[in-house]
């Protein structure tokens, strides 16, 4: 496992991270014992970046990680936590809260659920339109001074917001969707981050399984949010799965799986880009880790670009209501 520095001021992180969201029901039922075994397998393989959110399963995910980390050295895991998304008892999404008091309250509950003394990277999940980003980041900076947080990150915000946040406190990374079929960050956001010395932790590298080579049409359970995702609907899913077929031809030639090619492509975009893989099972984790052995040549990258050209995905990455919450989509430039 190789390790890269996260941003200009951050810790050394493994070249691939483990996203734990799917272990808490976002993609339908998951197996607790298998989830914990997957976290253990990741740590044993040298993966030190564990990514979660306090709203994943309404705290379930943090408690699951706490269980998985029992008996391990605290410094073996770099825990990245998103906060601020508000949910109701039916698990619906009801907004975001970036007020300074909410920052500190959310952190207090997170420390308790994770059973740790500090969080390695703490970040607002989305921009709260009613609270200046300076206030939210300022509150996290207070928690850095108090020793409860080591580093500050951002999630799904555009260039103007990134600049305003970085003016308050060093930002180590921007967590944002980035994959072969979600390349919006190439239109300004990535350049802004590089100018400011901010890494990208890329989630959705397999587009929620769509370009994993494992997805089958109509496979989503009603509790799986992909059942409502535009890219998995009607004609869109047919068009997107045709892109996967084109990618499969390249993967076969390389003796790799489609998922491995897709992850390797993200990693090949720069050492400042860390793919976060959302494996819920050890077999999927093993497959994802195999991407580290896939070396893509210039010729390979050209072939991939031809198979899956920028902008070729059918459908938006979220529903219209959720897209409206993405500062990264509404203000990418600046």
């Amino acid at each position: 496992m190789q390790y890269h520095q996260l941003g200009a001021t951050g810790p050394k992180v493994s070249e691939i991270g483990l996203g734990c969201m799917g272990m808490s029901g976002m993609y339908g039922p998951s197996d607790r014992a298998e989830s914990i075994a997957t976290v253990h397998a990741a740590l044993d393989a040298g993966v030190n970046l564990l990514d979660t959110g306090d709203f994943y399963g309404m705290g379930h995910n943090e408690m699951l990680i706490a269980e998985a980390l029992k008996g391990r050295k605290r410094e073996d895991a770099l825990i990245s936590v998103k906060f601020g998304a508000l949910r109701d008892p039916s698990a619906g999404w009801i907004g975001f809260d970036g007020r300074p008091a909410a920052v500190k309250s959310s952190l207090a509950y997170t420390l308790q659920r994770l059973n740790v003394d500090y969080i390695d990277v703490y970040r607002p999940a989305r921009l709260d339109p009613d609270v200046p980003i300076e206030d939210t980041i300022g509150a996290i900076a207070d928690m850095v001074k108090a020793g409860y947080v080591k580093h500050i990150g951002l999630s799904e915000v555009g260039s103007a917001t990134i600049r305003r946040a970085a003016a308050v406190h060093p930002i180590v990374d921007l967590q944002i969707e980035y994959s072969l079929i979600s390349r919006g960050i190439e239109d300004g956001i990535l350049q802004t981050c590089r100018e400011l010395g901010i890494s990208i932790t890329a989630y959705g590298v397999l587009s929620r399984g769509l370009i994993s080579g494992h997805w089958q049409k109509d496979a989503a359970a009603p509790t799986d949010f992909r059942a409502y995702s535009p890219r998995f609907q009607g004609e869109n899913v047919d068009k997107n799965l045709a892109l996967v077929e084109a990618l499969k031809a390249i993967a076969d030639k390389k003796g790799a799986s489609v998922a491995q090619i897709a992850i390797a492509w993200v990693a090949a975009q720069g050492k400042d880009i860390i793919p976060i893989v959302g494996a819920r099972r050890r077999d999927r984790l093993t497959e994802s880790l195999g991407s580290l052995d896939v070396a893509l040549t210039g010729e390979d990258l050209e072939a991939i670009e031809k198979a899956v050209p920028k902008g070729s995905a059918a459908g938006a990455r979220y529903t219209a209501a959720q897209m409206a919450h993405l500062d990264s989509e509404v203000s990418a430039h600046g």
Side-chain angles (χ1 to χ4, degrees), residues 156-218:
E156 286 290 355
V157 289
S159 290
T161 305
I162 295 165
R163 290 183 191 283
R164 286 170 58 191
V168 176
H169 189 279
I171 303 295
V172 293
D173 71 317
L174 170 69
Q175 190 173 114
I176 194 162
E177 187 166 353
Y178 188 40
S179 72
L180 266 170
I181 64 169
S182 294
R183 291 171 62 178
I185 70 165
E186 293 173 4
D187 303 329
I189 289 175
L190 181 55
Q191 294 85 335
T192 300
C193 286
R194 284 181 166 158
E195 179 196 321
L196 297 172
I198 297 170
S199 290
I200 299 287
T201 39
Y203 75 88
V205 290
L206 298 176
S207 293
R208 297 164 175 77
L210 183 59
I211 57 170
S212 66
H214 303 298
W215 181 258
Q216 290 170 331
K217 210 173 153 180
D218 304 321

Side-chain angles (χ1 to χ4, degrees), residues 42-53:
L43 293 167
D44 293 343
V47 172
N48 67 353
L49 181 60
L50 301 179
D51 184 76
T52 185

Side-chain angles (χ1 to χ4, degrees), residues 14 24 26 46 70 78 101 145 149 175 191 250 255 276 292:
S14 47
S24 295
M26 298 288 282
K70 261 185 202 151
L78 285 160
K145 284 192 197 93
V149 170
Q175 190 173 114
Q191 294 85 335
I250 296 166
I276 304 277
L292 301 174

Side-chain angles (χ1 to χ4, degrees), residues 217 231 233-243:
K217 210 173 153 180
R231 287 186 175 168
Q233 307 295 315
E235 288 179 4
N236 288 353
V237 75
D238 295 327
K239 285 179 184 161
N240 292 330
L241 288 175
L243 297 175

Side-chain angles (χ1 to χ4, degrees), residues 211-213 243-262 287 294 296 300 303-304 307:
I211 57 170
S212 66
L243 297 175
V244 176
E245 280 306 307
L247 204 53
K248 190 175 183 311
I250 296 166
D252 289 347
K253 261 190 202 160
K254 291 288 286 184
S257 72
V258 174
Q260 287 169 343
I261 292 290
E287 181 185 22
V294 178
L296 297 176
D300 293 332
I304 291 168

